[in-house]
Amino acid sequence: QKEVEQNSGPLSVPEGAIASLNCTYSDRVSQSFFWYRQYSGKSPELIMSIYSNGDKEDGRFTAQLNKASQYVSLLIRDSQPSDSATYLCAVNSEKLTFGTGTRLTIIP
Amino acid sequence: ETGVTQTPRHLVMGMTNKKSLKCEQHLGHNAMYWYKQSAKKPLELMFVYSLEERVENNSVPSRFSPECPNSSHLFLHLHTLQPEDSALYLCASSQGRGYEQFFGPGTRLTVL
């Protein structure tokens, strides 16, 4: 079983809609959770961090964490073409482990 | 300079060449990492240094040799590479192992 799992996509969402990206993890003692955005040919950029159950909002981005279900998600409201990228979920237990990423395409 | 910097940004080398990639972090972090990312593939963790000590080596071939002279600098020495080693090489740093990592812009390596 992979430690951090994401659907590889591609996930296509119309411009202006909500994009929902999901991530599950296997280590129950994980404490910190991160979302990175990676444009094609570029390096990953940290966009959200979440440490406790519930929602955390930052502009158009909302991270949701449910430790009981070992599930973390990222919602992007009012999706823009510039949001088209690969989104990486990263989970910390003893070390930071990355998922394989979900490729998101926003359709104008 | 701010954040994490990497040089060179692009590198083309032959299989018999020796070259080095350089990474420098200006964030006061204690841990540094080398990742490899091949086209359309996920990140592969290569090496981890914590307080200048190598703490992880993920079965990386010996033609890749890391060096961490201090907590701000990390090198990846390359020799007798293969064409399949062509990839984006990313350096990252973090406050400690398990904390969020900040990435440099990467070195796009092509081995001919």
Side-chain angles (χ1 to χ4, degrees), chain B residues 36-47:
Chain B
K36 174 185 177 183
Q37 190 173 40
S38 303
K40 299 183 179 180
K41 289 187 178 180
L43 290 170
E44 298 175 48
L45 180 63
M46 300 175 72
F47 301 104

Side-chain angles (χ1 to χ4, degrees), chain A residues 32 34 36 38 40-46 49 51 88 92-96 98-101, chain B residues 9 33 35 37 41-43 45 56 58 88 90 97-106 108:
Chain A
S32 308
F34 310 101
Y36 288 79
Q38 186 175 23
S40 181
K42 303 295 185 182
S43 62
E45 173 192 11
L46 180 66
S49 305
Y51 304 96
L88 302 170
N92 168 40
S93 49
E94 291 185 349
K95 61 180 181 179
L96 194 63
F98 285 87
T100 55
Chain B
R9 296 292 306 276
Y33 310 79
Y35 288 89
Q37 190 173 40
K41 289 187 178 180
L43 290 170
L45 180 63
E56 193 164 337
N58 286 323
L88 180 67
L90 292 161
R97 295 201 71 194
Y99 286 80
E100 60 263 67
Q101 294 177 18
F102 295 87
F103 286 83
R108 174 69 61 185

